[in-house]
DNA sequence: TTCGTATTTCGTAAAATAACGAAACAAAAG
DNA sequence: CTTTTGTTTCGTTATTTTACGAAATACGAA
């Protein structure tokens, strides 16, 4: 009677992060925040991405829910930055997977 | 008139790979193949994973479509192995993202 | 307070995903 | 040829995702 495993925490967590990164719009945003080591506004992004404002907002929400970014109000804007702590976490999980 | 970008190849490619890895079952399989540096059979996997045979088969198909694994007939089994070439590719894309 | 700007939420529709059991398939064994 | 074994495909259902425009919200400026 071979036991069905329950997934290790690392596995579900990595899957969750991968899901958050499974769309080109979201990869673009993360790449921008990570590489330019900067923050950005929804308004900047909507100019350069091929989606509407509400759609972009949904993508930002998803990244936020996954813990990959965080938004800080800077009225009338909302400044989105990388969530460094979780970014390091997913980096580590990814490293564990590939190395 | 700020131009909407078209996504760079690297971005769509990484998103595609991330999507393929966005489920715990699929992460489990990849992790097993990559870390134990081995191949495996659908029958082995179904014993240890909490999904039915047909569902598992779908996940294997998805990994195959994404180019992350490849199946080789070894009757009456099908032996699934990592697609080393694409594995290296996603490793590199991931490295580019995080480093 | 009213106006204007930046952004999100709501409502909706179309498409994709995940899951299962039943049926089909492929190939070795009898 | 028929059976058995391992696996996949099909048909179906429930859920999630992606997308959009319209309406709502938040808040500083006038």
């Amino acid at each position: 009677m071979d036991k069905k495993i329950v997934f290790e925490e690392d596995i579900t967590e990595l899957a969750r992060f991968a899901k958050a990164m499974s769309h080109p719009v979201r990869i673009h945003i993360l790449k921008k925040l990570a590489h330019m080591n900067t923050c950005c506004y929804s308004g900047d992004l909507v100019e350069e991405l091929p989606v509407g404002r509400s759609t972009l907002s949904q993508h930002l929400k998803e990244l936020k829910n996954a813990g990959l970014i965080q938004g800080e109000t800077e009225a009338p804007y909302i400044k989105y930055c990388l969530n460094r702590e979780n970014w390091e976490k997913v980096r580590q999980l990814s490293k564990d997977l590939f190395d």
Side-chain angles (χ1 to χ4, degrees), chain A residues 10-29:
Chain A
D10 279 4
I11 285 182
T12 51
E13 199 157 41
L14 183 51
R16 223 172 48 78
F17 282 129
K19 191 169 177 182
M21 306 197 303
S22 70
H23 192 287
V25 163
R26 300 196 293 265
I27 291 284
H28 173 94
I29 295 168

Side-chain angles (χ1 to χ4, degrees), chain A residues 25-66:
Chain A
V25 163
R26 300 196 293 265
I27 291 284
H28 173 94
I29 295 168
L30 292 173
K31 210 162 187 172
K32 179 164 184 160
L33 295 183
H35 287 186
M36 314 198 16
N37 200 41
T38 185
C39 297
C40 68
Y41 304 94
S42 174
D44 303 339
L45 292 170
V46 83
E47 294 299 330
E48 62 191 49
L49 289 170
V51 291
R53 292 171 192 286
S54 56
T55 303
L56 175 61
S57 192
Q58 272 186 184
H59 285 300
L60 288 168
K61 189 175 173 183
E62 223 170 309
L63 288 172
K64 206 163 49 180
N65 288 343

Side-chain angles (χ1 to χ4, degrees), chain A residues 33 64 67-70 81-88:
Chain A
L33 295 183
K64 206 163 49 180
L68 291 172
I69 65 173
Q70 53 204 147
C81 309
L82 217 57
N83 180 325
R84 295 280 166 192
E85 187 180 341
N86 284 325
W87 188 248
E88 179 52 34

